[in-house]
Amino acid sequence: MLQTQDKSVDAAKLDAFVARAIGDLSAGYGGVMVSLGHRLGLYKKLAEAGPLTSRELAGRAGCAERYVREWLGSQVAGGYVGYHAISDTYELAPEQALVLADEDSPFFIPNAWAVPASMWSDEEKAVEAFRTGRGVAWGDHDGKLFCGVAAFYRNAYKASLVSEWLPALDGVVEKLQAGARVADVGCGHGHSTVLMAEAFPASEFRGFDTHLESVAEAWKIAALAGVAERTSFATARADDYPATGYDLICFFDCLHDMGDPVAAATHAAKAIAPGGSIMLVEPFANDRVEDNVSPVARIYYAASTTICCAHAISDGGRLVLGAQAGEARLEDVFRKAGFSRFRRALETPFNLILEARL
């Protein structure tokens, strides 16, 4: 038990909180190990074989054994890899492989560690933003952010967008099957756009984003997927992208990053076709701070502090929603933009899937 001279301190509570803080620190160190394991292919090599010694794993991955042995020790200590003491071998369980080795799994987590890595890299910018109140634009962040966010969300979208989220909207799948016009606003690397284009070959998809490098990457991803003829990408703001008559306008995890979400929703109201739908996917959040106490909420509030709010402020900051806006505040945005119908179509532990119609 830790000792303190302060009589107002509950020793048991102090012990428990210190243990929690050490656990969080351990997780931070562990994240570096996860990223290394992913980049070096160590998890994949473990997943491809049965139990391996550190020397066997090093040989398969083309790495130095002494480093691999120490890395394996960290994985065993954290419960990420199993260890067989009798044979001095290490093994990745099927459940662990889904999280650490299978890049197409909806549970795959290593890419997500690029986001806190970018946050550490941008710490001085965050300190300056706190002191001055100025924003930090999306494009001014460390490059790890863009790849980390895109890769992390890609798997969630791949698992649920076509099979669950779109069917939860009123009549949208039928329109997409028949041939619809779709705008993907804030499309980033275009993973959501491409997934929809692959599923609905009769429809046309246009992605818009303010980040030039992400738009360039979206073109490449669409070409690799073989849907370039039915997709297009352009740099544009959420309140000035071209054309009207969209049957579906999508905002995937981006509305809360915008400096004027009401203007974005108002532009969508002008751009949407009669009977069209808005699909709004936002980080899961309850409406009150006291109801957002969970590991997921902690992740979202932290990212929102240095990324989401920072960009919204840099983008004019008329309404800085943050990543934990909650359904009520999001509905208010669309009501102000003239939408008469707004509902929660679906929810997951990570996302709210919302639908708005005029």
Side-chain angles (χ1 to χ4, degrees), residues 269-289:
K270 297 174 182 176
I272 201 160
S277 299
I278 301 294
M279 182 180 192
L280 177 63
V281 177
E282 281 284 303
F284 180 87
N286 293 301
D287 293 323
R288 301 185 301 178
V289 171

Side-chain angles (χ1 to χ4, degrees), residues 105-230:
S105 164
F107 310 106
F108 186 70
I109 205 73
N111 287 323
W113 280 100
V115 178
S118 75
M119 292 165 69
W120 276 113
S121 181
D122 291 331
E123 184 183 16
E124 289 306 314
K125 293 178 182 178
V127 169
E128 183 69 12
F130 266 72
R131 288 176 172 161
T132 64
R134 291 195 292 267
V136 181
W138 177 261
D140 290 340
H141 286 285
D142 185 278
K144 294 184 184 70
L145 175 64
F146 320 130
C147 295
V149 168
F152 181 59
Y153 281 121
R154 166 187 169 270
N155 285 23
Y157 297 160
K158 186 173 182 179
S160 302
L161 173 55
V162 173
S163 63
E164 299 175 16
W165 298 356
L166 287 170
L169 307 181
D170 290 335
V172 166
V173 168
E174 291 78 8
K175 289 183 180 180
L176 292 170
Q177 290 171 337
R181 195 176 195 195
V182 181
D184 190 353
V185 182
C187 65
H189 285 198
H191 290 302
S192 51
T193 323
V194 168
L195 286 167
M196 291 188 289
E198 288 176 320
F200 302 103
S203 292
E204 172 196 350
F205 299 86
R206 305 185 69 182
F208 303 103
D209 202 283
T210 59
H211 189 234
L212 181 61
E213 290 82 357
S214 291
V215 169
E217 188 66 22
W219 278 109
K220 295 176 185 177
I221 290 169
L224 287 172
V227 296
E229 292 184 358
R230 294 182 286 105

